[in-house]
Amino acid sequence: MTTGPSDPTRRGVVAGAASAPLLAGPATAGADLISIRTDLETWVAMGDKASGGPGDRDSGAWMESRLKRFGYRTQRQVFEAPSDRLGSVALTLGNASVQGVAQGPARVTGPGGVTGGLTLGRPTAPARGALVVVDLPARRWSSVRQPELRTLADEVRASGAAGLILVTNGPTGEAIALNAPAGAPPFGVPTLVLAPKDAGPVLAAAREGRTARLVIDGEAGQRPAFNLIGRIDRGKGRTVVLSTPRSGWFTCAGERGPGVALWLALLPWMAKRLKNHDIVVITASGHEYENLGAEAFLHREAPAPERTALWVHLGAGIAARDWAETPQGLEPLDRPDPARVLMGSAHLVEILKESFTGEAGLEAPLPAGPAAAGELAEILKAGYPAAFGVFGAHRFHHTILDDARCLDPALVERLLPRFQAAMLKALGEA
């Protein structure tokens, strides 16, 4: 997922952003908790986390060094992930251009782009050669597999449209990148994701049936990415698994950072405390391509369900900052975004309720079911009998503004003992 060369989206969106410190709040005493703060800062500094890109590779190497420090045997499971190397990404109306985000895996147009008449609304009638503009309803968008989008690809193909413009109406006014399968471009045509705050002229032009030019210029291909796996083999025959994804759209500060920091903080504790179990830990790439790396791990490297005592998954938005809507813009709050879900195997629900009481969004855990999302859904479907995890979509989820301002280390630090307590209770070792 790639934006155009300039970055107007970062100006004037978050009140007081220019003066905001990277990670606000006082340091908390204790080696494990202080390392969470440092690890969050390191994570943010690594930049864009696209699968197989520099930030993804660097973060994998950084996490591998931590595994080795704590006595884990490491392995890199390599696979191929989409790689879009793009330049100009924009929609041109007359003399004006609106920049957006290319939906990945991208269908490129070449420098000349594709030109067609704009039509507004889902293509229920033939629209051969048109550029279809779909103004999505308000959601915290995340994936092309969400219900409102599942049939859109078939509709676009059947209509004969030449291109698609999606206006992702979410809680920030920014363009929201969408997870998609790793195969062909998900809608079959060049697709531009447009920020609602930039969409006014495009929607007006589509109502008038004006002509526009869509350019997604560059190369779409593949590149290697890797899952990082750590193991402590004690010959116990019962394994505890800890997983977190590390790739995604843009910096992924609030989406991935808390899960990565908690994963790192749990490594030494698990090595010392869980003496009665073998341990497997995994940080997967390929997340934005509908859990591509996690599926590779599940199919080829994961312990069998019958040999797994517990699987804990640290998914998206575990402890991202919440925001208040004010007349001056969005103001950061000293509390977590409650748009997160704690879910686990039915027999673990009471344990989870006890362990996470008082945590907004987590204090009412759900039994495993069809509402599961992300890698946790794949883990539960694979039949692991004892599993729990967190997933969510914070306010800046999948946007270019998911940066350091979405993090407060204190919100992450206070979850560490809760995860430790839940794991010990689930294993009968509390």
Side-chain angles (χ1 to χ4, degrees):
M1 187 76 62
T2 305
T3 59
S6 66
D7 189 11
T9 59
R10 290 183 179 271
R11 295 193 295 271
V13 177
V14 181
S19 60
L22 264 182
L23 295 173
T28 305
D32 287 340
L33 299 185
I34 291 173
S35 75
I36 284 177
R37 173 179 298 276
T38 302
D39 288 342
L40 289 172
E41 292 173 345
T42 301
W43 173 258
V44 170
M46 288 178 178
D48 189 286
K49 306 303 190 308
S51 295
D56 181 39
R57 296 195 305 269
D58 290 349
S59 62
W62 166 60
M63 296 167 84
E64 186 172 32
S65 69
R66 193 72 61 85
L67 283 171
K68 291 178 177 179
R69 184 191 311 173
F70 297 126
Y72 290 77
R73 177 170 57 88
T74 65
Q75 171 193 353
R76 293 189 180 192
Q77 181 187 17
V78 179
F79 59 93
E80 290 292 306
S83 171
D84 296 334
R85 298 172 294 279
L86 305 179
S88 179
V89 177
L91 184 73
T92 300
L93 293 162
N95 295 324
S97 289
V98 180
Q99 293 187 339
V101 172
Q103 173 60 50
R107 174 80 72 195
V108 297
T109 65
V114 292
T115 300
L118 295 171
T119 66
L120 182 60
R122 298 179 75 108
T124 56
R128 189 156 303 279
L131 300 178
V132 174
V133 180
V134 178
D135 192 19
L136 292 171
R139 296 280 188 280
R140 293 199 178 192
W141 294 99
S142 181
S143 168
V144 301
R145 289 179 172 171
Q146 285 175 265
E148 296 91 338
L149 293 172
R150 284 178 187 161
T151 62
L152 183 57
D154 290 338
E155 295 168 12
V156 170
R157 291 188 180 96
S159 75
L164 176 65
I165 296 94
L166 292 175
V167 182
T168 50
N169 292 290
T172 65
E174 298 296 318
I176 302 174
L178 301 172
N179 289 353
F187 299 106
V189 297
T191 301
L192 181 74
V193 179
L194 195 60
K197 65 183 180 60
D198 299 328
V202 176
L203 295 172
R207 292 187 190 99
E208 298 169 2
R210 291 172 55 192
T211 297
R213 181 166 62 97
L214 173 61
V215 175
I216 300 176
D217 187 27
E219 298 179 0
Q222 298 274 311
R223 63 184 172 194
F226 67 89
N227 294 331
L228 174 64
I229 304 167
R231 305 179 193 272
I232 295 180
D233 300 312
R234 296 189 171 110
K236 300 295 184 178
R238 296 288 286 166
T239 302
V240 176
V241 182
L242 178 70
S243 58
T244 196
R246 71 171 194 280
S247 73
W249 306 123
F250 313 115
T251 301
C252 300
E255 180 187 3
R256 300 266 79 93
V260 166
L262 286 167
W263 189 90
L264 291 167
L266 285 165
L267 294 180
W269 176 82
M270 291 174 68
K272 294 176 183 177
R273 183 67 176 79
L274 304 185
K275 296 293 188 181
N276 297 321
H277 296 86
D278 301 323
I279 299 172
V280 173
V281 296
I282 160 75
T283 174
S285 185
H287 169 82
E288 67 272 38
Y289 298 109
E290 295 295 358
N291 316 316
L292 182 64
E295 287 193 357
F297 174 72
L298 276 167
H299 292 158
R300 297 195 290 275
E301 296 292 344
E306 62 271 17
R307 295 176 61 85
T308 302
L310 179 66
W311 190 319
V312 179
H313 182 69
L314 308 172
I318 290 180
R321 186 197 295 275
D322 199 8
W323 298 77
E325 297 181 11
T326 76
Q328 292 75 38
L330 294 174
E331 296 281 0
L333 298 172
D334 295 328
R335 69 187 188 201
D337 191 313
R340 52 185 181 166
V341 175
L342 174 61
M343 179 180 286
S345 304
H347 70 283
L348 298 179
V349 168
E350 285 304 314
I351 288 173
L352 298 175
K353 191 178 298 183
E354 294 171 5
S355 301
F356 290 90
T357 184
E359 284 290 339
L362 306 182
E363 58 190 357
L366 299 177
E375 286 85 354
L376 183 61
E378 305 298 329
I379 294 163
L380 295 172
K381 283 191 294 187
Y384 286 86
F388 73 87
V390 178
F391 58 90
H394 72 108
R395 183 178 289 268
F396 289 94
H397 184 75
H398 287 195
T399 74
I400 200 168
L401 291 180
D402 186 6
D403 56 24
R405 290 164 294 186
C406 296
L407 290 171
D408 179 345
L411 303 179
V412 185
E413 291 167 358
R414 73 191 198 195
L415 289 184
L416 178 58
R418 293 180 181 272
F419 273 99
Q420 291 169 334
M423 292 172 70
L424 291 177
K425 290 175 184 176
L427 293 169
E429 296 188 8

